Amino acid sequence: MTLLWNPQRPSPMPYHRYRPFHERVDVPVAERGWPAARIERAPLWVPVDLRDGNQALAEPMDTPRKRRLFDLLVRLGFKEIEVGYPSASRTDFDFVRHLAAGGAVPDDVTPVVFTPARHDLIDRTFEAIEGMPRAVVHLYIATSPVWREVVLRRDRAEVWRTVREAAAHMARRAGDTPGVRFQFSPETYNLTEPDFVLELCDGLTELWDACPDRPVTHNLPATVEIATPNVYADQIEYAHRHLARRDSVILSVHPHNDRGTGVACAELAVLAGAQRVEGCLFGNGERTGNVDLVTLALNLFAQGVDPMVDFGDIDTVRETVEACNRLPVHPRHPYAGELVHTAFSGTHQDAISKGFEEHARRAEELGVPGSQAPWSVPYLPVDPADLGRSYEAVIRVNSQSGKGGSAYLLRTHHGIDLPEGMRPEFARLVQEVTDASGREATPKELYDLFRAAYLSEGAGGEVRLDSWSVHEEAPGRHRFVCTLRTADRTGDHEGTGPGPLTAFADALTGAGHPTRILTVTGSGPYAFAECRVSQANGPATAWGAAEDPSPLAASVGAVLCAVNRAAVR
């Protein structure tokens, strides 16, 4: 049925070739608890950059790059780190040996190594970790129907037999070593029959004799995303409720990002009972990538939950990962992108600028530094300073910007606090320049434009003030005496008024420039004045500005600038 409000028509794309998830896997749902749950504690984060992320690189990391990234992960506070796939390549094997032999692994960090279900490759993996006081050996095999049929060419019973024999061999190799624990991943879990997953996982929990003091990790990956994140949450909650010896099992997830919803899958999985999340910094990985641990951790941070890792210097983290992966981080990446805290839009800039002012006011009211005051600034979910970012790039000005952005940059970079009423006028000048250039204006260019438009052009306009003096004749009565010069004549003029500036306006009026002062204000050595000037073609209102150590001299200059700017309206 065609809806009047929706004129979209069928596309020519062959969508009929693809099957919806409910035709590919059964997701038994009796009762959902995850929609009402809250994340109040960070899960165990496990970065897999050195294995899963590395195998997705066009130029896999060598040992120096891997070591640099490993050291970064340790400094950030990760306590379980997948360090390699020792049986896959000599480079991976050598790096694991480098860690084992070099004392690079702190006492509170557990390395994880990855192995397929083959005896010879398991042996190679145990050779790599020899000498490590603790390690997790991670066994995997693909389990879903299409992988069993197309890739492995084995039925369910054959896959279970392969897994059982590999797990038993791992147990023999580990012997009585208390520092070795086991992990199992039914790869393509999210496409696998739930009863088969339970059969495999519960069988290994028993075979490995898991207990609360030596738990087994069952890692349930969304190897290739096939459904909306709520479906994955249902699958994880089903496993959470039905796994045997649940107190002896660490329930882990490993979402990929094929549908662009890896972060949502991980968050909903934690709501559904997952205790551990595998992923990569900034989401590197095969195809569209692994889930992004930076975004996940800082999402918790932005909700007032301790992320249990330290991203307080996000630029260094990004630069290190870019150097090791030889891949750039997108400028709009959440939290870490170069432009993520930047506003070009005028309405955004105005809101952010007002938010900063209100934040400073609240901090002063609470008697705490701004860095300790509760954060609530429009368009900025976190304080960039908490991530080690400066405020320099928060507001940048181009043709899309408005009055707030230009004013903010003049104030923060040059100490010029434009009055609220003057900002639209200056913003129009900025937009003329940025429209013409097609690029953004730097803070220096804004300052130069301000000086040219007000301090130079305004002071050097049609009316010039060669000399002046003012004195108070009586309380509330001032006399302003001056020499005014125009293009065709120079003359002496005087005026009176209740204040020096109203007396100056009276002198200007007597000289043929009827002037009414609407506003005068100051900011440091700068003064700003808004004046209405009557002319042959009607009255015109304009703002002026001037700079002088003397507040009165600056105010006189600002009035003169406003008169000159009104003359060219």
Side-chain angles (χ1 to χ4, degrees), residues 329-335 337-342 344:
V329 172
H330 195 282
R332 292 291 183 188
H333 180 282
Y335 303 107
E338 180 186 353
L339 298 177
V340 71
H341 301 300
T342 300
F344 289 103

Side-chain angles (χ1 to χ4, degrees), residues 1 20 70 82 133 140 250 258 309 413 492:
M1 181 179 68
F70 175 80
E82 192 168 73
Y140 83 96
I250 301 169
D258 300 86
V309 282
H413 288 267
D492 295 329

Side-chain angles (χ1 to χ4, degrees), residues 211-509:
C211 62
D213 292 335
R214 195 173 182 233
V216 62
T217 298
H218 286 314
N219 186 56
L220 308 181
T223 307
V224 179
E225 280 195 303
I226 58 148
T228 49
N230 60 295
V231 174
Y232 189 52
D234 286 342
Q235 292 175 307
I236 296 302
E237 187 164 48
Y238 179 81
H240 169 57
R241 290 181 174 182
H242 293 89
L243 283 168
R245 299 198 202 180
R246 185 63 186 86
D247 62 346
S248 302
V249 171
I250 301 169
L251 180 54
S252 175
V253 293
H254 182 118
H256 277 253
N257 199 44
D258 300 86
R259 291 170 51 92
T261 58
V263 166
C265 279
E267 291 181 329
L268 268 58
V270 172
L271 292 174
Q275 302 154 289
R276 179 181 183 272
V277 177
E278 295 186 349
C280 290
L281 301 186
F282 308 115
N284 175 49
E286 295 281 17
R287 304 180 312 282
T288 56
N290 292 286
V291 70
D292 177 7
L293 295 186
V294 175
T295 298
L296 284 171
L298 291 178
N299 280 355
L300 288 187
F301 175 75
Q303 292 292 308
V305 177
D306 185 353
M308 308 296 282
V309 282
D310 183 5
F311 288 121
D313 186 1
I314 198 68
D315 287 339
T316 295
V317 176
R318 186 188 71 238
E319 290 160 8
T320 303
V321 173
E322 287 180 329
C324 293
N325 285 345
R326 296 178 179 169
L327 289 173
V329 172
H330 195 282
R332 292 291 183 188
H333 180 282
Y335 303 107
E338 180 186 353
L339 298 177
V340 71
H341 301 300
T342 300
F344 289 103
S345 160
T347 54
H348 290 208
Q349 292 173 345
D350 185 57
I352 291 170
S353 179
K354 290 175 179 174
F356 278 146
E357 292 173 5
E358 178 63 16
H359 178 74
R361 187 196 66 76
R362 282 199 307 267
E364 184 176 1
E365 190 176 81
L366 293 169
V368 298
S371 60
Q372 297 299 315
W375 182 255
S376 182
V377 173
Y379 295 112
L380 293 177
V382 297
D383 185 348
D386 287 339
L387 307 183
R389 305 287 291 270
S390 73
Y391 295 133
E392 182 174 348
V394 169
I395 290 178
R396 290 162 62 174
V397 169
N398 61 17
S399 62
Q400 305 299 305
S401 306
K403 62 185 188 305
S406 301
Y408 174 83
L409 292 178
L410 279 181
R411 182 175 68 250
T412 55
H413 288 267
H414 302 288
I416 302 172
D417 192 5
L418 297 182
E420 186 74 30
M422 185 179 179
R423 295 175 187 181
E425 180 180 290
F426 183 64
R428 286 192 292 271
L429 297 176
V430 173
Q431 190 166 43
E432 289 174 7
V433 172
T434 52
D435 268 334
S437 69
R439 61 178 181 81
E440 68 175 292
T442 67
K444 181 181 183 304
E445 289 170 335
L446 293 174
Y447 177 66
D448 291 343
L449 179 60
F450 170 79
R451 293 196 66 89
Y454 295 97
L455 306 187
S456 299
E457 179 185 307
E462 179 184 348
V463 183
R464 303 201 178 198
L465 188 61
D466 283 353
S467 63
W468 62 276
S469 64
V470 62
H471 63 279
E472 190 173 17
E473 294 182 324
R477 180 179 173 82
H478 291 74
R479 181 172 296 277
F480 193 99
V481 179
C482 61
T483 300
L484 293 173
R485 177 160 50 96
T486 61
D488 55 356
R489 67 180 183 276
T490 300
D492 295 329
H493 301 274
E494 62 179 60
T496 60
L501 297 182
T502 52
F504 179 37
D506 188 48
L508 287 167
T509 299

Side-chain angles (χ1 to χ4, degrees), residues 101-117:
V105 182
D107 291 342
D108 61 347
V109 172
T110 300
V112 182
V113 286
F114 194 69
T115 182

